[in-house]
Amino acid sequence: GREKRVAMSLAPSWKPEEAARRAIEAANAGAKVLVIRNTVTAALATFRAVQEADGENRLWTVKGAPTLHHSRFAPEDRELLDRAVEEALSPDPAKRPSGGLIVIGTPTLEQSLDIDADMLVTDLCPADVLLQRIGRLHRHVLARPAGFEKPQCIVLAPEGGLGAFAAPKFENGLGMFRDGGGVYQNLHACELTRRLVLDHPEWGVPQMNRLLV
């Protein structure tokens, strides 16, 4: 595939308000923003934070109602959501709605959907997962809003890094529950990813993939 130069930046917090603020700012500038949170809880909190920050009119709607994309929907609803999100972030300029848009969801958005966003706001996760999420940025050659000619990715990381997760701790999909469950349990991979974002403000994809993974 063609080379992509992605502008990477680390947000100082992964609070829902921070994710909402970044997404609204970009959507108000005309961008199609994809927000991928590690858990349904964080996705819901971000959705509410966007509503509370007067961003409701930018949220992706299905059948007229602002909506999220996650795994807790019944299969037939998921099919409807998948089709709707593929239309909202369609690579076909004729199908793509005009203006800024915020689509919030969970890792269900990084799976086999043909969607194309101008900007990604994502939770910290292992580099291979992050690359999959970045794959939803600028997938096709399309006209981009001013300021988004280059794909942008904002990585939401916990305040103060991951040191606090060394003791059994689980927050927003990182780390472990005491019973050993968790979404992304490899904290070393997550911390390395955090450092890679700090050390490389631009990621060339795919040629940096080996270094990153």
Side-chain angles (χ1 to χ4, degrees), residues 186-205:
N186 186 339
L187 290 179
H188 294 291
C190 293
E191 175 58 21
L192 282 170
T193 306
R194 194 178 76 87
R195 290 181 194 173
L196 282 164
V197 176
L198 282 174
D199 294 346
H200 301 277
E202 183 178 270
W203 286 14
V205 181

Side-chain angles (χ1 to χ4, degrees), residues 1-206:
R2 63 200 173 83
E3 191 213 343
K4 235 178 351 195
R5 313 284 307 170
V6 184
M8 304 291 295
S9 59
L10 202 63
S13 143
W14 62 8
K15 292 193 168 85
E17 296 75 17
E18 175 76 13
R21 185 177 68 77
R22 300 295 187 109
I24 292 169
E25 220 168 78
N28 285 344
K32 302 277 188 287
V33 188
L34 190 58
V35 181
I36 303 184
R37 306 295 319 242
N38 289 343
T39 63
V40 175
T41 306
L44 279 163
T46 304
F47 184 80
R48 292 199 188 100
V50 168
Q51 290 175 314
E52 280 159 22
D54 294 333
E56 171 116 42
N57 60 335
R58 295 289 179 204
L59 285 168
W60 170 54
T61 58
V62 178
K63 296 194 167 169
T67 290
L68 289 132
H69 191 284
H70 59 68
S71 57
R72 289 193 197 159
F73 288 97
E76 57 275 19
D77 292 334
R78 256 302 280 290
E79 270 177 47
L80 173 74
L81 288 176
D82 286 354
R83 280 201 304 275
V85 79
E86 285 192 311
E87 188 132 316
L89 298 177
S90 173
D92 177 354
K95 281 188 188 160
R96 246 171 128 80
S98 62
L101 182 72
I102 300 171
V103 177
I104 301 172
T106 62
T108 51
L109 285 166
E110 76 210 24
Q111 292 150 18
S112 69
L113 292 168
D114 190 11
I115 53 179
D116 183 314
D118 301 312
M119 180 167 122
L120 172 68
V121 178
T122 167
D123 273 328
L124 182 62
C125 53
D128 54 335
V129 179
L130 184 53
L131 283 169
Q132 214 174 340
R133 294 178 184 183
I134 286 172
R136 305 280 161 259
L137 279 172
H138 286 232
R139 286 186 73 160
H140 303 271
V141 179
L142 291 168
R144 304 287 168 186
F148 297 89
E149 297 85 359
K150 178 188 202 173
Q152 293 183 36
C153 173
I154 292 170
V155 178
L156 306 161
E159 288 165 75
L162 294 178
F165 287 80
K169 172 176 170 157
F170 179 82
E171 186 185 326
N172 192 17
L174 296 196
M176 301 230 179
F177 295 121
R178 292 193 182 275
D179 64 5
V183 188
Y184 304 114
Q185 296 178 15
N186 186 339
L187 290 179
H188 294 291
C190 293
E191 175 58 21
L192 282 170
T193 306
R194 194 178 76 87
R195 290 181 194 173
L196 282 164
V197 176
L198 282 174
D199 294 346
H200 301 277
E202 183 178 270
W203 286 14
V205 181

